[in-house]
Amino acid sequence: MDWFIEYYNGSALMIKVRRKIFEHKGLQHIQIFDTVNFGKMLVLDGKIQLTERDEAFYHEMLVHPAMFMHEDPSKVLIIGGGDGGAVREILKHDPDEVVMVEIDRNVIEACRKYIGVDRGALDDERVSIINEDGVEFVRSAKEHFDVVVVDGTDPNPISQSLISKEFYSCCGKISDYFVTQSQSPFIQREYFEAILRNATFKERRIYIGFVPTYPMGLWSYLIGSNKRRIELDLEKIRDRFRERKVDTVYYTPEIHIAAFALPKWLEDVVKVLQGRE
């Protein structure tokens, strides 16, 4: 047995692994491990993307708040998300069409073969997979999406453009609701602040969740819209949750509402950044 160690800003997470299942160096450095306590684990460029044990904590909180805010999310776009977890959660809302734009086809193939968190979602006839740069896709997109979900990696040479003002502006034009993961505001403040500065939607909110194998466990998400109100109506969310009969591990309507209540220190950070605009 050995240890996988992910380092971030003077700290680290250590996870005991039984063996390395898969490795490929191409557009990204892809590694898949069998861990002792967390099941299979996907790592891209040295950063943990998911483990089987807690991936639902992340994927459910990334997807369901925006999907439940929309009265009829029938057409959804995912940028990134090659592991298929976000597609899996979106399909629980029974949309008519899901388009996934993932730049690295090797991630899709490796996850399908060695992890399978999509549970067949990537093979659903309603899902279209396009291997293309996400910025290029939204820049030229003529169609409208009810929800756009960005399931990207930590900003790196491949994904840096997914936190640009141009990207967010393009997404705002083609969607009712937009949502992205926005890193750890506690240990990755630089990334978090860059996303908040650049995502200049007419309405936007930060919400948070707990993902044990992400940096320090505290994870954040940004939801925005240029066309819709970001409403926190518990009864409306409860009704839609019951009507759609969505089965979850982490997400509940009550968690949905509570996630938007930020700790005082984070609320202050958000207020300061909003004041700069």
Side-chain angles (χ1 to χ4, degrees):
M1 291 188 184
D2 205 350
W3 293 90
F4 173 83
I5 305 175
E6 179 181 344
Y7 297 92
Y8 32 79
N9 294 349
S11 58
L13 173 67
M14 296 176 63
I15 293 184
K16 202 163 197 177
V17 299
R18 292 189 178 92
R19 64 190 180 98
K20 185 187 297 178
I21 298 172
F22 174 82
E23 184 168 21
H24 174 78
K25 291 184 179 180
L27 197 59
Q28 299 174 99
H29 183 190
I30 306 168
Q31 295 172 296
I32 297 175
F33 298 91
D34 178 25
T35 74
V36 173
N37 293 315
F38 295 93
K40 293 172 186 173
M41 178 173 72
L42 171 66
V43 176
L44 297 181
D45 294 328
K47 304 295 183 182
I48 297 170
Q49 303 303 304
L50 67 83
T51 73
E52 287 182 302
R53 187 172 180 183
D54 67 358
E55 57 83 15
F57 294 20
Y58 166 72
H59 286 122
E60 290 180 7
M61 289 303 289
L62 175 68
V63 166
H64 295 310
M67 294 293 286
F68 278 118
M69 281 188 191
H70 201 288
E71 70 281 1
D72 182 26
S74 59
K75 188 172 182 177
V76 183
L77 171 66
I78 306 171
I79 304 295
D83 56 74
V87 176
R88 180 196 72 212
E89 295 304 314
I90 287 167
L91 288 179
K92 293 178 180 179
H93 295 259
D94 196 25
D96 295 330
E97 181 181 359
V98 180
V99 178
M100 185 177 82
V101 180
E102 165 62 63
I103 194 170
D104 194 345
R105 69 172 66 245
N106 291 311
V107 171
I108 300 172
E109 293 171 359
C111 289
R112 266 177 161 160
K113 183 173 182 179
Y114 296 106
I115 306 180
V117 298
D118 71 298
R119 296 172 200 159
L122 293 176
D123 298 313
D124 191 286
E125 62 183 9
R126 294 166 293 177
V127 177
S128 301
I129 300 174
I130 300 172
N131 296 121
E132 184 182 328
D133 178 80
V135 176
E136 292 298 325
F137 181 88
V138 299
R139 185 184 288 143
S140 59
K142 305 299 182 186
E143 51 194 322
H144 178 271
F145 296 90
D146 299 306
V147 178
V148 171
V149 177
V150 178
D151 183 11
T153 63
D154 287 4
N156 60 36
I158 298 299
S159 63
Q160 189 71 31
S161 60
L162 297 183
I163 67 168
S164 67
K165 285 185 178 180
E166 180 196 10
F167 175 70
Y168 294 133
S169 176
C170 290
C171 288
K173 293 174 182 176
I174 63 171
S175 65
D176 287 341
Y177 288 107
F178 167 91
V179 65
T180 182
Q181 65 87 15
S182 49
Q183 306 295 134
S184 167
F186 182 72
I187 199 70
Q188 297 174 314
R189 180 74 68 85
E190 181 181 348
Y191 291 158
F192 174 77
E193 291 187 357
I195 291 168
L196 194 54
R197 278 195 303 270
N198 291 340
T200 54
F201 295 89
K202 290 180 180 177
E203 286 215 20
R204 64 180 187 177
R205 294 284 298 271
I206 294 292
Y207 63 97
I208 57 176
F210 176 61
V211 187
T213 54
Y214 284 2
M216 297 298 179
L218 177 67
W219 209 243
S220 72
Y221 311 82
L222 182 147
I223 184 168
S225 180
N226 291 330
K227 303 170 183 176
R228 299 289 192 97
R229 294 287 308 279
I230 298 175
E231 296 182 316
L232 300 179
D233 185 328
L234 179 56
E235 289 310 312
K236 186 180 288 185
I237 299 302
R238 280 175 172 165
D239 288 344
R240 291 173 181 172
F241 188 70
R242 285 191 292 265
E243 289 167 5
R244 299 179 195 178
K245 299 178 181 177
V246 173
D247 182 42
T248 58
V249 173
Y250 184 101
Y251 174 93
T252 65
E254 293 74 20
I255 286 288
H256 179 137
I257 301 300
F260 287 85
L262 304 181
K264 179 64 165 54
W265 66 266
L266 182 51
E267 195 174 60
D268 289 343
V269 170
V270 172
K271 285 179 180 178
V272 167
L273 287 169
Q274 288 176 333
R276 292 178 186 171
E277 296 173 8

